[in-house]
Amino acid sequence: MKHDFKFEKTSNPKQKPNPDTLKFGKNFTDHMFLMNYSTEKGWHDGRIVPYGNLSLDPAAAVFHYGQEAFEGMKAYRTPDGNVRLFRPYMNAARSNASNARICMPEIDCELFVGAIKALVDTERDWIPNKPNTSLYIRPFIIADDPFLGVHPAATYLFVIICSPVGPYYDIPGGGLAPAKIYVECEYVRATLGGVGFAKVGGNYAASLLAQMRAVSEGCAQVLWLDAIEHSYVEEIGTSNAFFVINGEVITAPLLGTILPGVTRASVIELLKKWGVKISERRLKIDDVALAAKDGSLSEIFASGTAAVISPVGEIKYKDSKITIAGGGVGPLAQRLYDTLYGIQTGTIKDDMGWTINV
Ligand SMILES: *Cc1c(COP(=O)(O)O)cnc(C)c1O
């Protein structure tokens, strides 16, 4: 389906940032996508306009009751000069699952992906072509209806902004850097029946205090435990967590407290294809610690759009420090990273049918 969105070209194009020193999420492109929703008209007036401030009534529901959800994905430049997206329909479907949970209207998946494609096509010149660079895409939906009172809003705004980004880790030439992770035993991210499976802004506000503590403990990220027993491993920061014990890869099941990562799904599919045993099951942090002690824990890594695969070199759990894979990069993390990153950027043939050209 082809969508014809109105287009207002910027009269004031920005200078593009130096591709060698790109930071994550600091620079934004020249245009953004906007689309309104009202109960009478549904989603309407999709348009690409110059990047700039939004004007909202101070009573807009998003400011008071937090009706907001977002997505995160990337556009990559391939060696032959094409631009491609990685599994964008999964982001569209997940966006709708987030919206439904907080009573926001769903967006037709073809319309969602069509809007992404149209904006990325407009901002083609902003997609850097150095290794380990890409265009990060941030779609989000807010309730812009001006009222005070706790009930679902009647009007919404869908926005897409884009940011050229560099390598997630500051390693010359890119690649993987093992991280230190802090096991959070007090604060929790999500509980059964809550909003943990939805990419809603409030989840991240609620995570900040724990993240600050992890940093003050010398760690890069939090390892979240379940909210009831503070015992089962759930996620690492804003990425999904994988544990390799006795050759079995274990990740938390999607019971409602885990964000269903597109990268997570892709890791699972690749491991199945490779004949590696992969289980979506609950795993106790104490069993991880025991496996580290008896030598059966070989790797821990996290998966997400921003860094693809992030190996964990050390976890800090209560008073003990556990070193994983000798503090280095495990073979499975490396193979997954190389394969996923290769498919995304077009240096490896996409025999999974995961990418689409813009
Ligand atoms: C976005 C996110 C992920 C990773 O999802 P991807 O689709 O792989 O980028 C995992 N956990 C949380 C909490 C997230 O917000």
Side-chain angles (χ1 to χ4, degrees):
M1 200 195 304
K2 177 101 180 88
H3 296 278
D4 286 316
F5 301 114
K6 270 174 277 170
F7 176 45
E8 183 193 333
K9 195 172 164 49
T10 183
S11 54
N12 203 0
K14 300 176 212 172
Q15 176 138 25
K16 305 217 172 29
N18 179 349
D20 295 316
T21 55
L22 279 174
K23 296 271 176 288
F24 197 90
K26 299 274 189 210
N27 302 285
F28 298 95
T29 64
D30 281 327
H31 300 91
M32 61 185 179
F33 181 90
L34 297 178
M35 182 166 66
N36 295 89
Y37 176 92
S38 66
T39 329
E40 309 80 55
K41 288 184 167 176
W43 287 109
H44 63 277
D45 201 16
R47 58 209 185 268
I48 293 171
V49 298
Y51 186 95
N53 293 351
L54 300 174
S55 177
L56 296 177
D57 191 298
V62 63
F63 295 136
H64 307 277
Y65 311 110
Q67 260 189 303
E68 189 269 355
F70 66 95
E71 271 302 321
M73 53 207 292
K74 283 176 171 176
Y76 306 85
R77 207 177 267 287
T78 61
D80 56 9
N82 281 323
V83 171
R84 52 166 51 169
L85 299 169
F86 185 72
R87 311 188 84 177
Y89 286 92
M90 288 193 82
N91 294 92
R94 185 173 68 191
S95 170
N96 283 335
S98 299
N99 293 356
R101 179 62 181 82
I102 58 170
C103 299
M104 301 202 298
E106 297 184 13
I107 299 175
D108 175 79
C109 288
E110 291 294 345
L111 178 57
F112 183 101
V113 175
I116 304 254
K117 280 174 141 179
L119 183 61
V120 169
D121 191 32
T122 305
E123 305 298 60
R124 212 167 254 274
D125 291 348
W126 278 88
I127 309 171
N129 61 4
K130 298 249 164 175
N132 294 292
T133 63
S134 57
L135 187 72
Y136 185 78
I137 305 163
R138 168 53 57 86
F140 61 100
I141 298 126
I142 57 173
D144 61 354
D145 196 4
F147 68 89
L148 298 181
V150 181
H151 59 79
T155 67
Y156 295 87
L157 184 64
F158 176 53
V159 189
I160 311 172
I161 55 175
C162 297
S163 170
V165 296
Y168 201 69
Y169 300 108
D170 273 332
I171 307 173
L176 295 178
K180 286 186 191 171
I181 303 296
Y182 179 77
V183 181
E184 176 56 59
C185 297
E186 182 192 1
Y187 301 124
V188 296
R189 195 191 83 85
T191 191
L192 283 171
V195 292
F197 66 88
K199 227 167 165 75
V200 296
N203 281 342
Y204 304 85
S207 75
L208 295 175
L209 202 49
Q211 172 63 18
M212 299 274 288
R213 173 146 73 193
V215 170
S216 73
E217 293 282 340
C219 294
Q221 289 289 347
V222 170
L223 173 60
W224 297 104
L225 301 178
D226 78 280
I228 313 261
E229 294 174 50
H230 299 265
S231 165
Y232 295 95
V233 296
E234 297 222 312
E235 296 200 62
I236 294 177
T238 57
S239 47
N240 295 111
F242 293 82
F243 301 79
V244 189
I245 299 175
N246 282 325
E248 177 195 14
V249 184
I250 304 159
T251 192
L254 301 178
L255 301 175
T257 59
I258 306 293
L259 204 289
V262 175
T263 323
R264 174 189 183 277
S266 309
V267 164
I268 291 172
E269 286 174 56
L270 281 178
L271 292 174
K272 284 187 175 155
K273 184 180 159 210
W274 295 342
V276 177
K277 186 173 182 203
I278 161 78
S279 310
E280 295 176 69
R281 65 174 175 87
R282 302 186 85 197
L283 173 67
K284 287 190 164 153
I285 183 67
D286 284 334
D287 289 336
V288 175
L290 281 177
K293 229 174 225 151
D294 72 18
S296 55
L297 173 73
S298 54
E299 292 183 50
I300 301 178
F301 54 87
S303 73
T305 296
V308 192
I309 299 290
S310 313
V312 174
E314 184 181 301
I315 57 179
K316 202 165 176 184
Y317 175 41
K318 293 181 179 156
D319 292 327
S320 64
K321 276 187 189 166
I322 302 167
T323 303
I324 301 109
V329 182
L332 215 43
Q334 188 68 55
R335 186 177 178 199
L336 284 163
Y337 175 83
D338 291 343
T339 307
L340 284 165
Y341 185 71
I343 290 175
Q344 287 164 341
T345 55
T347 56
I348 291 181
K349 189 172 167 286
D350 175 13
D351 55 4
M352 306 297 280
W354 282 341
T355 54
I356 61 170
N357 280 338
V358 173

